[in-house]
Amino acid sequence: MRALPTRAALPLAALPLVVVPAAAQQASASLPELTVTSVSPIEARPSPAPSPGPGPGVLPVLTDTFSPVTVVTRDQILRDQPRTLGDALGERPGISASTYAPGAASRPIVRGLDNARVRIQENGVGIQDVSELGEDHGVPINPLVANRIEVIRGPATLRYGSQAIGGVVSAENNRVPSFIPVSGYAGQVTTGYTSVDNGRLAAATVDAGAEGVAFHADGFRTAADSYRTPAGIQANSANESQGGAVGVSRVFERGFVGVSFSHYDALYQIPGGEAAESRTRLDPRQDRLLARGEYRPAEGPFEVIRFWAGGSAYRHDERGLSEDGIDGVRATFKNREAEGRLELQHVPVPTSLGTLTGALGLQSSRREIGTAGEAGTLLAPTDSRSNALYLFEELALGDGLRLQAAGRIEAARAAGTATLFPADFLPVPGEDPVSEARRRHFAPKSASFGALQELPYGFVASLNASYVERAPTAFELYSRGAHDATETFEIGDPNLKLERARTVEVSLRRALGPLRLDATGYVTRYTGFIYKRDTGIRCGDDFASCGTDDELQQVVYSQRNATFTGAEIGAQLDLLPIGDGFAGVEAQYDFVRAEFDDGTFVPRIPPHRVGGGLFLRADGWFVRVNLLHAFAHTEVAPLETVTPGWNDLRAEISRTAPLDPAVFGASEITFGLQGRNLLDDRIRNSASFKKDEILLPGRSVRLFLTARF
């Protein structure tokens, strides 16, 4: 493994050497506890009401989880005001974003993995869209109405399926209410404006209830013009979205059961290359029904019984100019999907070694993808089904040592139309590739083992090992044509085998006191890693044009053995007590190195990044200046270009103040200014298909305001 750059190591190595006054240590230790519910099916107590988190700018660190978890708190969401999950997570250690259409289609990339390997869910149920089929497809989640966003890596992902081999991104909110506010009602309203794209947004949530009935409602609206870059306006990059949800639950002494309905629709443009010239735009729409509940029996073998169930209807049209200049629908994607999960947490069992707790889970899903227009040639209709059984067991040995083991077995089926292309992926004159109905069956099996040890001075160390098998998805098996929005001609392989991953990771974390640390290193060995291989051939809208046209890049789903090595580190240190808070320093570093066995590199991997800065949080004020530097990405795949390094200088000043509800109708207000890319640097994303065609937004200032009641 290559040595870490010296510039990255120095800020982190210096942190523990600073002497912090005892008063600072005492006050730092009083930060509110952060709890999450998506990581493990084993919960020691009922899920609490949502918490705003440990306060503005505080690094959220979880020390009671076996696997590392990144959390974006509600306070951080309302100050950053992200429009996509990629916007909300892309600067966290170990996470980047696809930024295919900034502000609209930007899906999280976890440890260099995206699409089919990263599950995106809302309130425990998959989001049920088509964003993993193409980088141009947006995720129908608006972070503005989320209470928090959790990114789960490592063995804990077995709870959600082998398709989460790279990680789980979970947006958590109260759309299915699980509690009644203490005062009978609670809510918030947020709005903001961004200078780089004339961006406007507003969102509101309200929770209320009485006599055992809880109610929730939320809504949002965003709009932005084409954004500015250091080279001028990025043409065809405007976007807008709107949506909302209503939910109702019956809340009783030993649990709750409820249901919600949500709607999402958007319209956004695709910048860069042919997409911008043809004014390509997408209009995703989704209606979604979700039910969930929890019951804690007074006696019997089970301590908690939980369920989740959800279904949705999703559709988007891809519109643009045809070769003859006529504007219209060029492709349509439809997705109908349903998923259910049941978990049974057994009562604690005393043993000679310690107390054993655990949970058994069952999960089932079905998905049908329908396509039309140009997308009809890209992917014929497919039907995918999956059923799974999983088990988590945890043993507390005493002296701060806990062990966890988990296993999962699935039965997966993918039916579609397989197309057999020539071995050189060039057309044979006068012959069309042969297509036939095909059905593949897989039985992925996964297992993991972890150890968590409490250490002196508030540190916690963990060691995890896992073996995960992933079944190829329908689009990896059966893709067969042009996708103009991504400017690719995609060819699946109906003979793909199971993808296998063996991972070892070690973590060191600290949440309380003046020093907060979250550091993880990992190695993953893939057997049969599935990826999009650039053949170097260019195509038009059909296979017969491959080799003679130059409009689309031909990519073929292929398998090779690969090794991913990486680290993700975040740290904060409170240095100087000021008022009721502190001034301090922060630092971060992350990298992932992904190689095939022959020494060539996996395509579209994020760069090494290092960052740091100063912060002040005291008496309701929060001030921060931070620089994130990305090194030039030179570890490129064949036919991939080098990506220059960049610097993103960011700053914020904000104020949170209490209000008299009788006078203002609100109990608290937060307002401030936030600057991004203040150096107006030319930023290109090495993980994006569009990196050579578009620049990310230039210098920007955001004005934000949130009122809570």
Side-chain angles (χ1 to χ4, degrees), residues 108-152:
I109 299 173
V110 181
R111 293 181 174 176
L113 303 171
D114 60 356
N115 293 348
R117 295 182 187 86
V118 175
R119 171 184 166 100
I120 296 179
Q121 63 183 32
E122 185 177 44
N123 296 317
V125 176
I127 192 56
Q128 302 175 347
D129 62 351
V130 294
S131 62
E132 79 275 35
L133 272 71
E135 286 75 6
D136 60 315
H137 301 163
V139 178
I141 288 179
N142 191 299
L144 292 174
V145 295
N147 290 327
R148 64 182 180 274
I149 302 170
E150 303 169 9
V151 182
I152 307 156

Side-chain angles (χ1 to χ4, degrees), residues 181-218:
V182 175
S183 62
Y185 69 93
Q188 64 188 26
V189 177
T190 187
T191 186
Y193 175 82
T194 309
S195 63
V196 74
D197 55 6
N198 192 31
R200 299 86 68 195
L201 61 86
T205 64
V206 61
D207 293 287
E211 299 181 354
V213 178
F215 174 79
H216 172 90
D218 66 62

Side-chain angles (χ1 to χ4, degrees), residues 371-380 478-483 489-490 541:
T371 57
E374 293 173 355
T377 61
L378 170 64
L379 184 68
Y478 304 127
S479 293
R480 59 178 190 177
H483 192 182
F489 191 95
E490 301 186 11
D541 289 335

